[in-house]
Amino acid sequence: MIASHRATVVVFFSIVAVILTIQSLRLHGVPAIRHVGNQLSSEGLADVLNSTLGFQKIFVINLPERTDRRDAMTLAAALTNLQITWAKGIRGSDVPDKVIPGEDWEKSILRGNKGSWRAHMNVLNTIVNQNLSSALILEDDADWDIRLKSQMQIFARAAQPFAQHFQLTSRLAAQDKVTNLPITSLLPSPDLSTPYGSKWDVLWLGHCGTNLPTPNTLNTLPTNTSLLRVVIPDDPTVPRPEHLKPHPFALQDHLAELYPPHTRVVHPSSGTICTQAYAVSQQGARKLLWRFGVKEALTKGWDLVLGEWCDGLYFERSEKEQRERQWKGNEGKHKEGKGRWEDKEQQPPVCVTVQPPLFSHHYGKGAASDITAPGGGFVNKEKEMTPYVRWSVRLNMGRLVEGGEVRDQWPGDD
């Protein structure tokens, strides 16, 4: 009786959240995402509509002196009904050498990178210490579409096949052939412990570049990597192909050449860089804290390290394992003559990403970064912009606060 009542209450408040979200979007002239959302069962996905997007917490890393970013992020979160927890950013000059793992760490590493690493380790420490089942980690200059919760519901369904045991993904796609699976053909996941599945380590939601795994690159990735791609077609929140680039002077993303306009694709992470936004599970936080807070020497920026970890470059193997592992490929299992190392005892990381990303770096006027030059130094510092995001929260902040009509960064192609 009590369980039934609780279930009714959960369903009621989920419906209310959806209604309020739609009403808010209509108030500001923003179309809801109807192309896919109405075709997917909402079973297990209602939690994505809560104030932490279905994670237990959302952390935002912020240097205490960057009150400008704190104010903007506070407003952005409030305007999209998100609850954030602040995590103190760390200056590299405040990180003693003795706390960095290993003796052969790169002494010439940028101080900003050293401070960034420590700040991310502190967040992972908190996630492990509080035993959070999952958490989303944002940098304080991140931006997103005001339709984020609808986007995240769709992403959650698309990510579920990858977040189950990799054998499930193998049944959906051959390991040596790219398979494009429309999201509407996915069945509800049997594992509803979280909206995103349970066996994932990292969901890389905001980045400035990633690769689509192919048969030619499969041998360099973890053994659980699938060539499955879950395709979300006709997504009105995706910009036109000419705008699919991490900054205005970058080359167009390969995604724009491979798929029709307004297509979003969810796939295993490969060569992903920049950490505007990524979620970690409890198991993922423990793995990362052990590997990079305790064991490995710091040699480069945190985003590059995380990308290499997701790509399987930090597996430990004993000398015996090195001798006994079998090279597959000479047996004709890969037509190109390439293979990858077998490793049956260890569980490689499960990292899932999305193109275009759902979070992106907001380049405000001045575009000042505390680590590196924004956009590789090519961004117009006199003009605000956010790559990949059409209905940007940051760019529409004044209109959202004062009740104006929200504007598209790239209008005319809905």
Side-chain angles (χ1 to χ4, degrees), residues 4 122 153 186 203 397:
S4 176
N122 287 350
Q153 264 201 324
L186 288 178
L203 303 178
M397 193 168 289

Side-chain angles (χ1 to χ4, degrees), residues 5-41:
H5 176 69
R6 288 177 177 173
T8 302
V9 171
V10 169
V11 171
F12 171 76
F13 280 106
S14 297
I15 294 173
V16 170
V18 173
I19 292 173
L20 291 176
T21 300
I22 293 174
Q23 287 179 340
S24 175
L25 296 180
R26 286 175 177 171
L27 176 64
H28 297 291
V30 183
I33 307 177
R34 295 185 297 270
H35 68 300
V36 171
N38 290 350
Q39 300 176 54
L40 298 178
S41 167

